[in-house]
Amino acid sequence: MAEIEARLCALETALAQQMATTPAAAQAELRAALDRLRVSCAEQAAALDLALHHAPEQMHLPGELLRRLPLPVLQLTHALRVVDANPAARAVLGDGGTGERSGVLRAVLSRSQARALTQALDAAFVQPAAATSAAAVALRLRIGRVDGPRQSFHAHVVAAPGKPETERATWWVVLFPLEAGTSAGNPELLRLLIESTIDPVALTDTDGRVVIANKAFAQPFGRIPAEIEGRRRSQFMDEKLSRHLNGLEAGVIARRMAQIVEETVLRPTRTRDGQPGTPRPAHLLTERRPVFDDDGAVIGVFTRARDVTEELRTREVERLADRVFEQSSDAIVITDPGLRVMRVNPAFERMSGIALGANPEVLLDALVMPRTGTRWVSAGMSDTDSWLRQALSRAEGSWQGEVTLHGQDGRQLTCWARITRLTDAAGTNLGHVAMLADLTLLRQTQADNQRMAQFDQLTGLANRRLLAERIDDWIGFASRAGQSFALMYLDLNKFKSVNDSLGHETGDLLLTVIADRLRAALTEGELAARIGGDEFVVLIGNADEAAAQRRAAELLDHLARPLDLPGLHNYRPSAAAGIACYGRHGDSRDALLRNSDLAMYAAKSDRRAVMVYEPSMGAEALRELETRVALVSALENDEFELHFQPIFALDDKRPRGCEALVRWNRPGHGLVMPGAFLPVAAKAGLMPAIDRMVLRRAVAVQARWRWAGLVHADWTLSINQTASSLAAQDWAEVLDAALVRVGWKTSDDVAPPFGLQIELTEDQLAVDIPGAMEALQRLRKMGIALAIDDFGTGYSSLTYLRRMPVTTLKIDASFVRGIEADGDARQIVEAIIGLAKKFGFVALAEGIESEAALQTLIELGCDYGQGYLFERPLPQSAFEARFFGCDPGEVPNLEAALQARA
């Protein structure tokens, strides 16, 4: 009873400490519960004392007194088998009386508890000769039902008189609930303590059973504490995790030392509507400590897992902030409230050359001084206090402006400074942070921007903006001095072909060479500018039309010298130039630029090097502009169509193919012939788009006729293309895609002969277009034939006939018309036919309009011909009716032909 009273006093002291922050009502309730506990313990102790001091022969559990005793009482053998138990003991252990259930106590005891209880039995046995009454030994046990929760007891062991070595020796074990004894055994108080923390907390015994746990520990497993207490881990968690944790605790128990590990787990989350969400990773710092009994034996492991996710995140933010401080390109200075420098980053040391360790008493306001004109300087500032203190005071703790940083060895650096006072939550001044950005790069950038605003980045010549300023200056000077000057607008020939075939890098190199040559050729009083693409402008001072033309010719000759660039060997650049003179051709900047541009386009159209502006060019330019705009719309609205003119074999006068000729069905103008719009399209850069449109449509028509069985493999469809289009890197891919689209080939096989022939004019072949030769060789490998159109009218060359994969020479119509009466024409045609036969080419005559011309061509051995004598170009439906005998609608469209073939 004395021990119980001591433990009750300790409990009362502990509760008194806890109740300091407990409401008054709760304090009264706790004190009442403690009083009731005292009374209950006193009654139980009195009853037990009365029972235990009866004569041995009267000490049997079936006695009415022990049976009604509220404390659990067990009669045990040395093997811990239950001989007898009162109802209170059976309520704790289950039906653990005699018989086959007598081993129920051993089943719920851990190995350490069983060993401790056996030792207590031995210690409690006293020989009758040595003592007049039985001795009692106390120890702590945690027992309960096999499948239920455990409860902590103080077990008092009393040995029955007799000899311990006899088989009938027994002991009485009286169990006192700990909650009736000490505060440490009070489950309500212990539960209150572990639930007061948000960290998962659990106490397990040495067998891995959970003795007690809080809600935070049970929640991740979808349980409440009561559902896991008294159970092994394998009964409520994943087996793999259970074995892992058992291994960790076994190590703690074996080493009898605490273990702290960091681990990452997935924590369940909930959406706003209470549904399970995506688990989030949490970083835990888990501490496992061994729990010892009074004899120093390990009886369990206390586990506490603290979520350190936010701490790690804060630590990472601090680490990143420190890295920003160390690696920032701006100088950072931290001072105390008195502006004494406390810390600087490496950028400051690099910029200033000052190491803080060698100068521990440096003041910030001595390192930086404001530059003249900064906004801190104002009337009324003290001459005694430092400029920075006054500036920060007036700016309420934050100032920025341009300063001079005074570094080591007299170096001075212009910086942009941002200085801010640092305060805590109470507003106490903790110091200042200054960030200094070096303005050297900014000043350089400003200078670069100024240069970029007035000069072309690629060539270094004046740009459009600077040119406009200079023209305005020259106009003002010329109007005052009564002088004239000329503006030469220059555009390179075939530059787009260089760009498309060899790439922009080579094109840029060519522009750079042209700019360098212009710069080198300029004399005093001249200015060259690049205003975009391959267009240049040269201002020629104090020059009339004649002088300007002579100077333009000199410059063009200087530009035309041979050069070597990647893919361009011995290349001679050429250009067209237009000239407008101030006063005669315009008295404003816009007028001079516009009129010189018109003159340049007129020179290109007439294939001349230099032309001077004439008023008629304006009207022509307007018409050309309208046509250019309409052509763009025509491509978008599909206003083009193909007409077909048959090609006949002259020996049997049977059609062996046809030529596809493009026509423009222009709204409001009717059918427009190609000679009226193709030159404008070429100037506008629209020829690649028109060429590809013609290619796709011609391939579709040829495939339609082939699939419908109207023509066979010997039928040739000829289309006109420009050499620059063929030289484009993706032209062959466009043809491949067209053949795949019409079902003539798959994406990865080689197409069978398709009967397609490409026509190029002789003058196009005479110009050395980069990449054209390679493109023609690729087409030849694809089975595409090549015909030279208008042969004999341009720059005929046996060299390109030998090098190029030509199959047909087309004799220009100008030689064919009147050939029967024109002896010179007859000799030219005879020479062309002979040349074709020598090279193994086919000779085809264009423009056959009379029977006499036809007979002459047959006599000369010409192979094929076309012209109005046979048939003029016809729309597709009319051509099909005339030569295939098909009524409109009888020839299936391409989709139907493909389906029929499938």
Side-chain angles (χ1 to χ4, degrees), residues 94-133:
D95 188 13
T98 60
E100 69 280 359
R101 297 293 301 261
S102 61
V104 68
L105 178 62
R106 187 63 184 252
V108 299
L109 289 176
S110 65
R111 289 190 296 272
S112 59
Q113 286 182 323
R115 184 170 58 252
L117 181 56
T118 302
Q119 293 173 353
L121 297 183
D122 294 337
F125 199 94
V126 180
Q127 295 293 340
T132 58
S133 63

Side-chain angles (χ1 to χ4, degrees), residues 67-309:
R67 212 172 9 249
R68 293 190 178 185
L69 192 65
L71 294 175
V73 180
L74 298 169
Q75 186 177 12
L76 303 178
T77 67
H78 194 270
L80 302 185
R81 300 183 64 84
V82 178
V83 177
D84 202 354
N86 70 346
R90 288 194 294 273
V92 173
L93 296 174
D95 188 13
T98 60
E100 69 280 359
R101 297 293 301 261
S102 61
V104 68
L105 178 62
R106 187 63 184 252
V108 299
L109 289 176
S110 65
R111 289 190 296 272
S112 59
Q113 286 182 323
R115 184 170 58 252
L117 181 56
T118 302
Q119 293 173 353
L121 297 183
D122 294 337
F125 199 94
V126 180
Q127 295 293 340
T132 58
S133 63
V137 176
L139 74 159
R140 185 177 301 174
L141 297 178
R142 185 168 178 81
I143 57 176
R145 294 177 179 267
V146 174
D147 57 350
R150 302 293 193 267
Q151 187 177 354
S152 297
F153 295 92
H154 264 285
H156 286 257
V157 181
V158 181
K163 296 182 179 180
E165 61 273 9
T166 61
E167 294 181 358
R168 299 184 60 184
T170 59
W171 288 258
W172 302 110
V173 179
V174 184
L175 302 177
F176 292 89
L178 276 179
E179 56 267 29
T182 65
S183 60
N186 189 328
E188 288 78 9
L189 180 58
L190 185 58
R191 179 74 61 189
L192 178 65
L193 291 175
I194 66 171
E195 291 293 351
S196 64
T197 177
I198 61 174
D199 297 332
V201 174
L203 179 64
T204 55
D205 61 19
T206 54
D207 289 334
R209 291 188 181 89
V210 178
V211 176
I212 189 169
N214 64 354
K215 295 177 181 177
F217 183 89
Q219 184 180 13
F221 308 109
R223 306 295 184 93
I224 61 174
E227 293 175 338
I228 66 174
E229 290 175 350
R231 295 173 178 265
R232 288 186 171 89
R233 291 189 185 88
S234 58
Q235 296 178 277
F236 61 86
M237 69 172 62
D238 177 72
E239 182 65 29
K240 183 178 180 180
L241 177 60
S242 173
R243 289 197 303 269
H244 173 67
L245 296 179
N246 288 340
L248 292 178
E249 289 195 356
V252 172
I253 294 172
R255 290 190 297 270
R256 300 171 60 88
M257 293 176 60
Q259 180 190 63
I260 300 177
V261 295
E262 289 189 17
E263 50 192 358
T264 301
V265 300
L266 291 177
R267 286 286 180 82
T269 61
R270 294 282 179 180
T271 60
R272 292 183 177 180
D273 56 358
Q275 299 299 319
T278 304
R280 64 172 181 87
H283 300 281
L284 303 180
L285 188 65
T286 304
E287 177 185 13
R288 294 179 176 85
R289 292 186 174 277
V291 179
F292 302 95
D293 60 13
D294 294 339
D295 297 326
V298 178
I299 59 173
V301 176
F302 174 80
T303 301
R304 177 183 179 184
R306 185 163 59 91
D307 192 337
V308 294
T309 304

Side-chain angles (χ1 to χ4, degrees), residues 721-729 731 758 760 771-772 775-776 778-779 786:
Q721 297 281 285
T722 58
S724 58
S725 293
L726 290 179
Q729 294 179 351
W731 193 92
I758 304 297
L760 294 175
L776 294 175
R778 284 201 309 270
L779 295 181
L786 173 64

Side-chain angles (χ1 to χ4, degrees), residues 413-539:
L413 209 61
T414 301
C415 299
W416 183 261
R418 297 182 299 276
I419 304 174
T420 305
R421 180 183 296 136
L422 303 175
T423 59
D424 59 14
T428 303
N429 184 4
L430 303 177
H432 301 84
V433 59
M435 301 190 68
L436 307 173
D438 188 355
L439 295 183
T440 303
L441 181 60
L442 176 62
R443 294 288 183 260
Q444 182 63 44
T445 302
Q446 290 173 342
D448 292 342
N449 289 340
Q450 182 68 20
R451 183 179 58 81
M452 291 169 59
Q454 295 185 332
F455 293 90
D456 177 57
Q457 295 184 49
L458 176 64
T459 64
L461 297 178
N463 63 8
R464 183 183 292 273
R465 178 178 177 180
L466 183 57
L467 175 66
E469 295 176 0
R470 292 295 181 265
I471 293 175
D472 291 341
D473 293 341
W474 284 35
I475 289 175
F477 175 78
S479 62
R480 292 190 300 270
Q483 296 180 356
S484 180
F485 68 91
L487 190 150
M488 183 180 77
Y489 204 113
L490 184 148
D491 184 88
L492 297 181
N493 295 326
K494 306 297 183 181
F495 177 74
K496 188 175 186 301
S497 298
V498 175
N499 247 357
D500 292 344
S501 59
L502 299 180
H504 291 284
E505 290 186 4
T506 302
D508 289 348
L509 288 174
L510 177 58
L511 291 175
T512 303
V513 171
I514 296 298
D516 291 341
R517 291 183 174 182
L518 277 177
R519 190 182 295 109
L522 292 180
T523 62
E524 186 177 356
E526 293 179 342
L527 173 71
R530 177 180 176 234
I531 60 174
D534 59 340
E535 296 179 337
F536 298 83
V537 171
V538 178
L539 296 181

